[in-house]
Amino acid sequence: MAPPTPGNPDFAWMARALELARAGGLRGEVPVGAVIVRDGSVLAESHNRTVERHDPTAHAELVAIRAAARRLGDWRLTDCTLYVTLEPCAQCAGAIVLARIPRLVFGARDPKAGMAGSLDNLVQDPRLNHRVELMDGVLADESSRLLRRFFRARRGKGGQP
């Protein structure tokens, strides 16, 4: 399926996820942003917070999923769409399945850790009790560019990617 174009809600929500990713990058976090939408409104959103929280599990998707579940008072996030700038890793893909999120839209593929079609496809594994509808490539170039700039700058300062 072709990625949506400007004017499509998927494009607009991914643009918001990119804003969050940029904000996280300015705080020294790997620039990934996530937005959970239900009935056309933001239920929860976040950027990566692993550095801020000293928590390797504080990926944008997980922080947003936890906030959405608290807000709804339910761990099941049915009728929601998760927008994230980077293809989810194994941890986040597992959480998406466990939360019963029916739809995932992401920007850039992650060939080293992506578990929504690149390295493997946990979110659509037929052996699991829940499978997610996928849309990838939404604002992928912008998402990739943001990540490349972040890691290029980090390597330039002597940090490890």
Side-chain angles (χ1 to χ4, degrees), residues 20-103:
L20 293 163
R22 286 185 196 98
L26 292 173
R27 298 175 74 154
E29 302 283 357
V30 174
V32 176
V35 179
I36 298 177
V37 175
R38 184 176 187 209
D39 297 327
S41 297
V42 173
L43 185 60
E45 61 184 21
S46 187
H47 55 73
N48 275 355
R49 296 181 182 276
T50 58
V51 175
E52 171 190 326
R53 294 185 179 176
H54 310 287
D55 179 356
T57 70
H59 290 189
E61 302 96 305
L62 244 56
V63 175
I65 287 169
R66 288 173 180 144
R70 276 192 307 274
R71 186 165 176 198
L72 289 178
D74 193 348
W75 60 269
R76 292 175 199 88
L77 300 181
T78 57
D79 301 322
C80 293
T81 298
L82 170 62
Y83 296 88
V84 62
T85 57
L86 181 64
E87 180 180 2
C89 68
Q91 166 193 251
C92 296
I96 291 164
V97 169
L98 292 172
R100 309 295 194 273
I101 295 173
R103 187 163 182 262

Side-chain angles (χ1 to χ4, degrees), residues 78 96-103 122-133:
T78 57
I96 291 164
V97 169
L98 292 172
R100 309 295 194 273
I101 295 173
R103 187 163 182 262
L122 185 63
V123 298
Q124 292 185 323
D125 191 312
R127 296 169 295 180
L128 300 177
N129 63 339
H130 177 73
R131 279 164 292 293
V132 179
E133 175 190 334

Side-chain angles (χ1 to χ4, degrees), residues 18-33 47-52 85-86 141-161:
L18 266 168
E19 289 175 15
L20 293 163
R22 286 185 196 98
L26 292 173
R27 298 175 74 154
E29 302 283 357
V30 174
V32 176
H47 55 73
N48 275 355
R49 296 181 182 276
T50 58
V51 175
E52 171 190 326
T85 57
L86 181 64
D141 291 342
E142 293 87 339
S143 298
S144 294
R145 232 182 341 269
L146 183 61
L147 286 159
R148 277 194 308 273
R149 278 195 305 260
F150 175 82
F151 285 114
R152 196 175 306 127
R154 190 165 156 182
R155 283 189 297 271
K157 293 178 182 174
Q160 296 296 315

